Amino acid sequence: MRQAEGVTARLAGRLAELRLERGWSLEELASRSGISRSTLSRLERGEISPTAALLGRLCSVYERTMSRLLAEVEAEPPEVVRARAQAVFSDEESGFVRRSVSPPHPGLRGEVVEATLRPGADISYDAPPVPGLEQHIWVLEGAVEITANGHTHTVEAGDCLRFRLWGASRFRCPGPGPARYAILVVLP
């Protein structure tokens, strides 16, 4: 069995805590999330790292943004978040890298995220972690195709897309190069 370290170990522990706080069995969580019981068990033991899609499903079930969940496993953030201290989540399978530039904080409703998608990357989320989540997506390099609430938009460098998310969403990088964008997330 592989030993989980650092953020992965703390994330595994927090995922187990969230399930237990709700009084759910692994079977109940599997039913709610659509993730197999065995995968959930391995995630909670830190034997595997979650993909962006799996983490997105769990965030939806637990009604948290991904940044908020990741912030819950980090120490209290300082007012100034140095680049070297910003938490980075990387999903090699999907080609998605997420940097928590300004992580969530109790008492604050907004956060800033930097995301990068490699060409051909395609990530879908079944539902927002919190219904009505407000997002402002500013593309810094390349282009990203974003589907939110049933509408698809191609957003290019310099463009900004803003919406409140009530349903499924999808982020796709049509290429030829990677897409890099900033997301301002505001809780309702």
Side-chain angles (χ1 to χ4, degrees):
M1 176 169 60
R2 181 172 69 87
Q3 286 288 345
E5 297 177 17
V7 173
T8 301
R10 291 190 303 272
L11 181 58
R14 183 62 182 139
L15 290 172
E17 287 172 5
L18 287 168
R19 180 177 58 79
L20 294 174
E21 286 171 7
R22 286 159 177 74
W24 296 342
S25 65
L26 281 171
E27 198 64 42
E28 173 73 14
L29 180 56
S31 173
R32 290 174 180 265
S33 67
I35 301 169
S36 76
R37 184 184 181 286
S38 63
T39 298
L40 291 168
S41 178
R42 292 181 70 205
L43 283 171
E44 287 185 6
R45 290 192 314 260
E47 293 177 3
I48 59 173
S49 295
T51 63
L54 284 179
L55 204 52
R57 284 175 160 180
L58 290 171
C59 286
S60 181
V61 169
Y62 292 131
E63 297 182 324
R64 282 168 164 66
T65 64
M66 193 179 300
S67 291
R68 187 157 304 277
L69 177 63
L70 293 173
E72 290 174 4
V73 299
E74 294 296 324
E76 182 71 21
E79 288 184 11
V80 175
V81 183
R82 304 286 178 208
R84 67 184 173 277
Q86 295 167 359
V88 176
F89 173 79
S90 182
D91 179 3
E92 293 300 320
E93 183 179 316
S94 68
F96 174 63
V97 177
R98 181 183 198 286
R99 175 183 300 276
S100 192
V101 176
S102 175
H105 184 278
L108 299 177
R109 294 185 355 191
E111 61 190 83
V112 179
V113 173
E114 176 189 29
T116 304
L117 292 173
R118 72 173 174 239
D122 193 340
I123 301 171
S124 295
Y125 301 98
D126 296 331
V130 178
L133 188 70
E134 181 179 345
Q135 294 187 25
H136 300 255
I137 301 173
W138 179 31
V139 177
L140 303 170
E141 296 175 21
V144 63
E145 182 181 283
I146 301 167
T147 302
N149 303 318
H151 300 284
T152 301
H153 308 273
T154 299
V155 189
E156 298 176 343
D159 297 344
C160 183
L161 173 66
R162 56 189 182 177
F163 55 89
R164 292 181 67 104
L165 189 59
W166 300 99
S169 61
R170 178 180 178 203
F171 294 75
R172 191 176 78 78
C173 178
R180 189 171 68 91
Y181 52 97
I183 307 171
L184 171 63
V185 179
V186 183
L187 292 171

